[in-house]
Amino acid sequence: MCCNFGNGNKIVAVDTGANELLSVGTDGSNLKAIATIPRQTLTNPIFPSGASSSPFEIQAVPTNIAKGPDGAYYISQLTGFPFPEGKANIYRIGSDGKPTVYTDGFTQLTDLAFDTEGNLYALQYANQSLWKGNLDGSVIKIAPDGTRTTILSGSGLESPTALTIGADGAIYVTNRGDRPGLGQVLKIENPKSVPESTSTFSLLALLGTVSVTWLQNGKVKRLKGLPENKLFPK
């Protein structure tokens, strides 16, 4: 069971093992499934050996929930082994309880959050299949019209596990959330000023537009090797 939030007198959660969206009363009563996130079939799966095989069914593995401005639930998807690249979806579940693909083409999503303008931010745990060993992740913005912007990809963002939009409009991300003693909180400021792009880009391309700081051990740390006067104005 993972990732729940309150909604009046009930709690809504995703069950990553059963691939379900659940609701339960705050007193523990009336547990029920709202929807089941469907499994997927890979027609040409790629495994660690590099060899292809016959069609292979993978678990959905829903990871988190965000309630949209339209009142629907939006569900992030990690996907099960072999963690295919570009096969993770964001599902929308409306009042009819039927999951539909809101947008697709992601890899191993772990969290979602809406800002006050209706933009949806998706957190990608890794940009490549987990078994490849590269845990560079991404923060991706999806505008209401479907336009995508890569806010941050790699450049110190590694195996991120959760994000939230602060009251100050900044994006807060838990970085290296799977590594005891090495976890961090990143603060990404000025995300609205990033130019729209369909490709990922390095942190250096963000100079003058996005500020990123690491909040660790009660202190603010600047990313090494980046100009202090541009990326982190005093």
Side-chain angles (χ1 to χ4, degrees):
M1 193 75 67
C2 179
C3 317
N4 58 64
F5 62 91
N7 184 15
N9 61 353
K10 71 177 181 180
I11 295 172
V12 179
V14 286
D15 188 330
T16 59
N19 301 324
E20 291 182 331
L21 176 66
L22 306 172
S23 71
V24 63
T26 53
D27 61 357
S29 65
N30 199 27
L31 174 66
K32 64 180 179 179
I34 299 174
T36 299
I37 308 302
R39 297 185 180 189
Q40 296 166 261
T41 299
L42 301 180
T43 57
N44 188 29
I46 305 299
F47 293 98
S49 63
S52 300
S53 67
S54 58
F56 182 81
E57 189 177 69
I58 59 172
Q59 295 282 346
V61 192
T63 51
N64 219 319
I65 313 165
K67 193 170 185 179
D70 59 353
Y73 297 117
Y74 291 77
I75 314 295
S76 55
Q77 180 188 22
L78 183 77
T79 72
F81 180 83
F83 315 110
E85 295 170 15
K87 296 298 183 180
N89 301 318
I90 296 175
Y91 288 91
R92 178 186 181 275
I93 301 176
S95 57
D96 61 0
K98 297 180 180 179
T100 58
V101 176
Y102 174 68
T103 184
D104 59 10
F106 301 95
T107 303
Q108 297 156 184
L109 297 177
T110 53
D111 204 359
L112 298 172
F114 279 96
D115 66 15
T116 56
E117 297 180 358
N119 298 301
L120 179 59
Y121 293 83
L123 186 63
Q124 196 159 267
Y125 177 83
N127 301 329
Q128 297 182 0
S129 298
L130 284 175
W131 52 264
K132 292 184 177 180
N134 184 340
L135 296 181
D136 284 352
S138 296
V139 176
I140 302 165
K141 170 186 169 184
I142 303 104
D145 65 1
T147 303
R148 295 185 191 180
T149 306
T150 299
I151 301 296
L152 180 61
S153 179
S155 301
L157 184 64
E158 301 172 347
S159 54
T161 50
L163 87 165
T164 189
I165 310 296
D168 56 359
I171 304 169
Y172 292 85
V173 181
T174 54
N175 194 41
R176 300 171 184 166
D178 57 354
R179 309 180 199 181
L182 297 177
Q184 301 164 323
V185 176
L186 270 61
K187 178 182 180 182
I188 304 174
E189 298 180 279
N190 307 320
K192 298 177 184 178
S193 63
V194 180
E196 297 293 331
S197 173
T198 57
S199 62
T200 59
F201 45 83
S202 69
L203 187 58
L204 293 177
L206 303 181
L207 292 179
T209 61
V210 174
S211 298
V212 181
T213 56
W214 291 350
L215 308 178
Q216 186 178 29
N217 297 328
K219 299 179 181 179
V220 175
K221 294 188 177 183
R222 296 182 175 88
L223 293 178
K224 295 180 180 179
L226 297 177
E228 179 180 56
N229 60 338
K230 290 186 178 180
L231 189 58
F232 301 100
K234 295 181 178 179

mmCIF file with all atom_site columns, all heavy atoms in Angstrom, residues 193-212:
data_model
loop_
_atom_site.group_PDB
_atom_site.id
_atom_site.type_symbol
_atom_site.label_atom_id
_atom_site.label_alt_id
_atom_site.label_comp_id
_atom_site.label_asym_id
_atom_site.label_entity_id
_atom_site.label_seq_id
_atom_site.pdbx_PDB_ins_code
_atom_site.Cartn_x
_atom_site.Cartn_y
_atom_site.Cartn_z
_atom_site.occupancy
_atom_site.B_iso_or_equiv
_atom_site.pdbx_formal_charge
_atom_site.auth_seq_id
_atom_site.auth_comp_id
_atom_site.auth_asym_id
_atom_site.auth_atom_id
_atom_site.pdbx_PDB_model_num
ATOM 1   N N   . SER A 1 193 ? 9.678  29.706 -15.869 1.00 0.00 ? 193 SER A N   1
ATOM 2   C CA  . SER A 1 193 ? 10.477 30.423 -16.855 1.00 0.00 ? 193 SER A CA  1
ATOM 3   C C   . SER A 1 193 ? 11.241 29.506 -17.794 1.00 0.00 ? 193 SER A C   1
ATOM 4   O O   . SER A 1 193 ? 11.938 29.966 -18.680 1.00 0.00 ? 193 SER A O   1
ATOM 5   C CB  . SER A 1 193 ? 11.476 31.341 -16.139 1.00 0.00 ? 193 SER A CB  1
ATOM 6   O OG  . SER A 1 193 ? 12.379 30.582 -15.359 1.00 0.00 ? 193 SER A OG  1
ATOM 7   N N   . VAL A 1 194 ? 11.113 28.188 -17.620 1.00 0.00 ? 194 VAL A N   1
ATOM 8   C CA  . VAL A 1 194 ? 11.842 27.256 -18.476 1.00 0.00 ? 194 VAL A CA  1
ATOM 9   C C   . VAL A 1 194 ? 11.178 27.182 -19.840 1.00 0.00 ? 194 VAL A C   1
ATOM 10  O O   . VAL A 1 194 ? 9.973  27.006 -19.939 1.00 0.00 ? 194 VAL A O   1
ATOM 11  C CB  . VAL A 1 194 ? 11.872 25.854 -17.843 1.00 0.00 ? 194 VAL A CB  1
ATOM 12  C CG1 . VAL A 1 194 ? 12.631 24.876 -18.729 1.00 0.00 ? 194 VAL A CG1 1
ATOM 13  C CG2 . VAL A 1 194 ? 12.503 25.919 -16.471 1.00 0.00 ? 194 VAL A CG2 1
ATOM 14  N N   . PRO A 1 195 ? 11.925 27.326 -20.931 1.00 0.00 ? 195 PRO A N   1
ATOM 15  C CA  . PRO A 1 195 ? 11.329 27.249 -22.269 1.00 0.00 ? 195 PRO A CA  1
ATOM 16  C C   . PRO A 1 195 ? 10.797 25.861 -22.564 1.00 0.00 ? 195 PRO A C   1
ATOM 17  O O   . PRO A 1 195 ? 11.363 24.864 -22.132 1.00 0.00 ? 195 PRO A O   1
ATOM 18  C CB  . PRO A 1 195 ? 12.497 27.608 -23.201 1.00 0.00 ? 195 PRO A CB  1
ATOM 19  C CG  . PRO A 1 195 ? 13.717 27.253 -22.411 1.00 0.00 ? 195 PRO A CG  1
ATOM 20  C CD  . PRO A 1 195 ? 13.373 27.560 -20.983 1.00 0.00 ? 195 PRO A CD  1
ATOM 21  N N   . GLU A 1 196 ? 9.693  25.793 -23.303 1.00 0.00 ? 196 GLU A N   1
ATOM 22  C CA  . GLU A 1 196 ? 9.115  24.508 -23.654 1.00 0.00 ? 196 GLU A CA  1
ATOM 23  C C   . GLU A 1 196 ? 10.057 23.749 -24.574 1.00 0.00 ? 196 GLU A C   1
ATOM 24  O O   . GLU A 1 196 ? 10.668 24.322 -25.472 1.00 0.00 ? 196 GLU A O   1
ATOM 25  C CB  . GLU A 1 196 ? 7.755  24.704 -24.355 1.00 0.00 ? 196 GLU A CB  1
ATOM 26  C CG  . GLU A 1 196 ? 6.704  25.364 -23.478 1.00 0.00 ? 196 GLU A CG  1
ATOM 27  C CD  . GLU A 1 196 ? 6.283  24.503 -22.320 1.00 0.00 ? 196 GLU A CD  1
ATOM 28  O OE1 . GLU A 1 196 ? 6.344  23.282 -22.450 1.00 0.00 ? 196 GLU A OE1 1
ATOM 29  O OE2 . GLU A 1 196 ? 5.896  25.056 -21.288 1.00 0.00 ? 196 GLU A OE2 1
ATOM 30  N N   . SER A 1 197 ? 10.189 22.447 -24.341 1.00 0.00 ? 197 SER A N   1
ATOM 31  C CA  . SER A 1 197 ? 11.068 21.615 -25.153 1.00 0.00 ? 197 SER A CA  1
ATOM 32  C C   . SER A 1 197 ? 10.630 20.175 -25.017 1.00 0.00 ? 197 SER A C   1
ATOM 33  O O   . SER A 1 197 ? 10.164 19.760 -23.970 1.00 0.00 ? 197 SER A O   1
ATOM 34  C CB  . SER A 1 197 ? 12.527 21.757 -24.697 1.00 0.00 ? 197 SER A CB  1
ATOM 35  O OG  . SER A 1 197 ? 13.355 20.831 -25.373 1.00 0.00 ? 197 SER A OG  1
ATOM 36  N N   . THR A 1 198 ? 10.787 19.387 -26.071 1.00 0.00 ? 198 THR A N   1
ATOM 37  C CA  . THR A 1 198 ? 10.440 17.979 -26.011 1.00 0.00 ? 198 THR A CA  1
ATOM 38  C C   . THR A 1 198 ? 11.645 17.121 -25.675 1.00 0.00 ? 198 THR A C   1
ATOM 39  O O   . THR A 1 198 ? 11.541 15.924 -25.517 1.00 0.00 ? 198 THR A O   1
ATOM 40  C CB  . THR A 1 198 ? 9.875  17.507 -27.357 1.00 0.00 ? 198 THR A CB  1
ATOM 41  O OG1 . THR A 1 198 ? 10.844 17.768 -28.387 1.00 0.00 ? 198 THR A OG1 1
ATOM 42  C CG2 . THR A 1 198 ? 8.579  18.233 -27.678 1.00 0.00 ? 198 THR A CG2 1
ATOM 43  N N   . SER A 1 199 ? 12.820 17.728 -25.568 1.00 0.00 ? 199 SER A N   1
ATOM 44  C CA  . SER A 1 199 ? 14.031 16.964 -25.277 1.00 0.00 ? 199 SER A CA  1
ATOM 45  C C   . SER A 1 199 ? 14.563 17.336 -23.915 1.00 0.00 ? 199 SER A C   1
ATOM 46  O O   . SER A 1 199 ? 14.296 18.418 -23.388 1.00 0.00 ? 199 SER A O   1
ATOM 47  C CB  . SER A 1 199 ? 15.108 17.244 -26.335 1.00 0.00 ? 199 SER A CB  1
ATOM 48  O OG  . SER A 1 199 ? 15.467 18.603 -26.313 1.00 0.00 ? 199 SER A OG  1
ATOM 49  N N   . THR A 1 200 ? 15.320 16.412 -23.325 1.00 0.00 ? 200 THR A N   1
ATOM 50  C CA  . THR A 1 200 ? 15.958 16.706 -22.053 1.00 0.00 ? 200 THR A CA  1
ATOM 51  C C   . THR A 1 200 ? 17.179 17.575 -22.297 1.00 0.00 ? 200 THR A C   1
ATOM 52  O O   . THR A 1 200 ? 17.747 17.600 -23.383 1.00 0.00 ? 200 THR A O   1
ATOM 53  C CB  . THR A 1 200 ? 16.398 15.414 -21.356 1.00 0.00 ? 200 THR A CB  1
ATOM 54  O OG1 . THR A 1 200 ? 17.298 14.714 -22.206 1.00 0.00 ? 200 THR A OG1 1
ATOM 55  C CG2 . THR A 1 200 ? 15.197 14.527 -21.067 1.00 0.00 ? 200 THR A CG2 1
ATOM 56  N N   . PHE A 1 201 ? 17.561 18.319 -21.269 1.00 0.00 ? 201 PHE A N   1
ATOM 57  C CA  . PHE A 1 201 ? 18.734 19.165 -21.418 1.00 0.00 ? 201 PHE A CA  1
ATOM 58  C C   . PHE A 1 201 ? 19.467 19.211 -20.105 1.00 0.00 ? 201 PHE A C   1
ATOM 59  O O   . PHE A 1 201 ? 18.915 18.922 -19.065 1.00 0.00 ? 201 PHE A O   1
ATOM 60  C CB  . PHE A 1 201 ? 18.371 20.574 -21.894 1.00 0.00 ? 201 PHE A CB  1
ATOM 61  C CG  . PHE A 1 201 ? 17.191 21.171 -21.180 1.00 0.00 ? 201 PHE A CG  1
ATOM 62  C CD1 . PHE A 1 201 ? 17.330 21.805 -19.952 1.00 0.00 ? 201 PHE A CD1 1
ATOM 63  C CD2 . PHE A 1 201 ? 15.929 21.080 -21.730 1.00 0.00 ? 201 PHE A CD2 1
ATOM 64  C CE1 . PHE A 1 201 ? 16.256 22.341 -19.305 1.00 0.00 ? 201 PHE A CE1 1
ATOM 65  C CE2 . PHE A 1 201 ? 14.839 21.628 -21.072 1.00 0.00 ? 201 PHE A CE2 1
ATOM 66  C CZ  . PHE A 1 201 ? 14.995 22.259 -19.863 1.00 0.00 ? 201 PHE A CZ  1
ATOM 67  N N   . SER A 1 202 ? 20.735 19.618 -20.153 1.00 0.00 ? 202 SER A N   1
ATOM 68  C CA  . SER A 1 202 ? 21.566 19.596 -18.958 1.00 0.00 ? 202 SER A CA  1
ATOM 69  C C   . SER A 1 202 ? 21.239 20.775 -18.067 1.00 0.00 ? 202 SER A C   1
ATOM 70  O O   . SER A 1 202 ? 20.595 21.740 -18.483 1.00 0.00 ? 202 SER A O   1
ATOM 71  C CB  . SER A 1 202 ? 23.043 19.659 -19.353 1.00 0.00 ? 202 SER A CB  1
ATOM 72  O OG  . SER A 1 202 ? 23.341 20.931 -19.884 1.00 0.00 ? 202 SER A OG  1
ATOM 73  N N   . LEU A 1 203 ? 21.687 20.687 -16.828 1.00 0.00 ? 203 LEU A N   1
ATOM 74  C CA  . LEU A 1 203 ? 21.461 21.754 -15.868 1.00 0.00 ? 203 LEU A CA  1
ATOM 75  C C   . LEU A 1 203 ? 22.115 23.045 -16.317 1.00 0.00 ? 203 LEU A C   1
ATOM 76  O O   . LEU A 1 203 ? 21.628 24.130 -16.051 1.00 0.00 ? 203 LEU A O   1
ATOM 77  C CB  . LEU A 1 203 ? 22.015 21.329 -14.502 1.00 0.00 ? 203 LEU A CB  1
ATOM 78  C CG  . LEU A 1 203 ? 21.719 22.254 -13.331 1.00 0.00 ? 203 LEU A CG  1
ATOM 79  C CD1 . LEU A 1 203 ? 20.216 22.425 -13.162 1.00 0.00 ? 203 LEU A CD1 1
ATOM 80  C CD2 . LEU A 1 203 ? 22.326 21.716 -12.062 1.00 0.00 ? 203 LEU A CD2 1
ATOM 81  N N   . LEU A 1 204 ? 23.209 22.971 -17.060 1.00 0.00 ? 204 LEU A N   1
ATOM 82  C CA  . LEU A 1 204 ? 23.886 24.178 -17.529 1.00 0.00 ? 204 LEU A CA  1
ATOM 83  C C   . LEU A 1 204 ? 22.987 24.994 -18.442 1.00 0.00 ? 204 LEU A C   1
ATOM 84  O O   . LEU A 1 204 ? 23.110 26.210 -18.523 1.00 0.00 ? 204 LEU A O   1
ATOM 85  C CB  . LEU A 1 204 ? 25.185 23.803 -18.258 1.00 0.00 ? 204 LEU A CB  1
ATOM 86  C CG  . LEU A 1 204 ? 26.277 23.193 -17.391 1.00 0.00 ? 204 LEU A CG  1
ATOM 87  C CD1 . LEU A 1 204 ? 27.482 22.808 -18.256 1.00 0.00 ? 204 LEU A CD1 1
ATOM 88  C CD2 . LEU A 1 204 ? 26.721 24.162 -16.312 1.00 0.00 ? 204 LEU A CD2 1
ATOM 89  N N   . ALA A 1 205 ? 22.076 24.332 -19.135 1.00 0.00 ? 205 ALA A N   1
ATOM 90  C CA  . ALA A 1 205 ? 21.175 25.040 -20.031 1.00 0.00 ? 205 ALA A CA  1
ATOM 91  C C   . ALA A 1 205 ? 20.141 25.848 -19.275 1.00 0.00 ? 205 ALA A C   1
ATOM 92  O O   . ALA A 1 205 ? 19.452 26.678 -19.851 1.00 0.00 ? 205 ALA A O   1
ATOM 93  C CB  . ALA A 1 205 ? 20.466 24.052 -20.952 1.00 0.00 ? 205 ALA A CB  1
ATOM 94  N N   . LEU A 1 206 ? 20.041 25.612 -17.960 1.00 0.00 ? 206 LEU A N   1
ATOM 95  C CA  . LEU A 1 206 ? 19.039 26.293 -17.157 1.00 0.00 ? 206 LEU A CA  1
ATOM 96  C C   . LEU A 1 206 ? 19.565 27.561 -16.492 1.00 0.00 ? 206 LEU A C   1
ATOM 97  O O   . LEU A 1 206 ? 18.852 28.218 -15.757 1.00 0.00 ? 206 LEU A O   1
ATOM 98  C CB  . LEU A 1 206 ? 18.521 25.349 -16.067 1.00 0.00 ? 206 LEU A CB  1
ATOM 99  C CG  . LEU A 1 206 ? 17.933 24.022 -16.554 1.00 0.00 ? 206 LEU A CG  1
ATOM 100 C CD1 . LEU A 1 206 ? 17.444 23.225 -15.355 1.00 0.00 ? 206 LEU A CD1 1
ATOM 101 C CD2 . LEU A 1 206 ? 16.826 24.234 -17.535 1.00 0.00 ? 206 LEU A CD2 1
ATOM 102 N N   . LEU A 1 207 ? 20.825 27.899 -16.707 1.00 0.00 ? 207 LEU A N   1
ATOM 103 C CA  . LEU A 1 207 ? 21.402 29.061 -16.050 1.00 0.00 ? 207 LEU A CA  1
ATOM 104 C C   . LEU A 1 207 ? 20.573 30.305 -16.352 1.00 0.00 ? 207 LEU A C   1
ATOM 105 O O   . LEU A 1 207 ? 20.232 30.587 -17.491 1.00 0.00 ? 207 LEU A O   1
ATOM 106 C CB  . LEU A 1 207 ? 22.843 29.277 -16.511 1.00 0.00 ? 207 LEU A CB  1
ATOM 107 C CG  . LEU A 1 207 ? 23.837 28.197 -16.064 1.00 0.00 ? 207 LEU A CG  1
ATOM 108 C CD1 . LEU A 1 207 ? 25.215 28.515 -16.618 1.00 0.00 ? 207 LEU A CD1 1
ATOM 109 C CD2 . LEU A 1 207 ? 23.899 28.104 -14.552 1.00 0.00 ? 207 LEU A CD2 1
ATOM 110 N N   . GLY A 1 208 ? 20.264 31.051 -15.306 1.00 0.00 ? 208 GLY A N   1
ATOM 111 C CA  . GLY A 1 208 ? 19.506 32.274 -15.476 1.00 0.00 ? 208 GLY A CA  1
ATOM 112 C C   . GLY A 1 208 ? 18.002 32.049 -15.492 1.00 0.00 ? 208 GLY A C   1
ATOM 113 O O   . GLY A 1 208 ? 17.251 33.014 -15.510 1.00 0.00 ? 208 GLY A O   1
ATOM 114 N N   . THR A 1 209 ? 17.532 30.805 -15.550 1.00 0.00 ? 209 THR A N   1
ATOM 115 C CA  . THR A 1 209 ? 16.096 30.554 -15.585 1.00 0.00 ? 209 THR A CA  1
ATOM 116 C C   . THR A 1 209 ? 15.614 29.753 -14.394 1.00 0.00 ? 209 THR A C   1
ATOM 117 O O   . THR A 1 209 ? 14.549 30.006 -13.857 1.00 0.00 ? 209 THR A O   1
ATOM 118 C CB  . THR A 1 209 ? 15.698 29.810 -16.869 1.00 0.00 ? 209 THR A CB  1
ATOM 119 O OG1 . THR A 1 209 ? 16.377 28.553 -16.909 1.00 0.00 ? 209 THR A OG1 1
ATOM 120 C CG2 . THR A 1 209 ? 16.054 30.613 -18.102 1.00 0.00 ? 209 THR A CG2 1
ATOM 121 N N   . VAL A 1 210 ? 16.368 28.766 -13.965 1.00 0.00 ? 210 VAL A N   1
ATOM 122 C CA  . VAL A 1 210 ? 15.947 27.911 -12.867 1.00 0.00 ? 210 VAL A CA  1
ATOM 123 C C   . VAL A 1 210 ? 17.018 27.887 -11.794 1.00 0.00 ? 210 VAL A C   1
ATOM 124 O O   . VAL A 1 210 ? 18.200 27.753 -12.084 1.00 0.00 ? 210 VAL A O   1
ATOM 125 C CB  . VAL A 1 210 ? 15.683 26.470 -13.367 1.00 0.00 ? 210 VAL A CB  1
ATOM 126 C CG1 . VAL A 1 210 ? 15.391 25.551 -12.193 1.00 0.00 ? 210 VAL A CG1 1
ATOM 127 C CG2 . VAL A 1 210 ? 14.513 26.453 -14.330 1.00 0.00 ? 210 VAL A CG2 1
ATOM 128 N N   . SER A 1 211 ? 16.588 28.021 -10.550 1.00 0.00 ? 211 SER A N   1
ATOM 129 C CA  . SER A 1 211 ? 17.509 27.906 -9.430  1.00 0.00 ? 211 SER A CA  1
ATOM 130 C C   . SER A 1 211 ? 17.270 26.577 -8.743  1.00 0.00 ? 211 SER A C   1
ATOM 131 O O   . SER A 1 211 ? 16.133 26.216 -8.448  1.00 0.00 ? 211 SER A O   1
ATOM 132 C CB  . SER A 1 211 ? 17.280 29.055 -8.433  1.00 0.00 ? 211 SER A CB  1
ATOM 133 O OG  . SER A 1 211 ? 17.537 30.302 -9.049  1.00 0.00 ? 211 SER A OG  1
ATOM 134 N N   . VAL A 1 212 ? 18.344 25.835 -8.499  1.00 0.00 ? 212 VAL A N   1
ATOM 135 C CA  . VAL A 1 212 ? 18.242 24.546 -7.831  1.00 0.00 ? 212 VAL A CA  1
ATOM 136 C C   . VAL A 1 212 ? 19.169 24.546 -6.629  1.00 0.00 ? 212 VAL A C   1
ATOM 137 O O   . VAL A 1 212 ? 20.356 24.843 -6.751  1.00 0.00 ? 212 VAL A O   1
ATOM 138 C CB  . VAL A 1 212 ? 18.634 23.387 -8.770  1.00 0.00 ? 212 VAL A CB  1
ATOM 139 C CG1 . VAL A 1 212 ? 18.495 22.059 -8.047  1.00 0.00 ? 212 VAL A CG1 1
ATOM 140 C CG2 . VAL A 1 212 ? 17.783 23.406 -10.025 1.00 0.00 ? 212 VAL A CG2 1
#
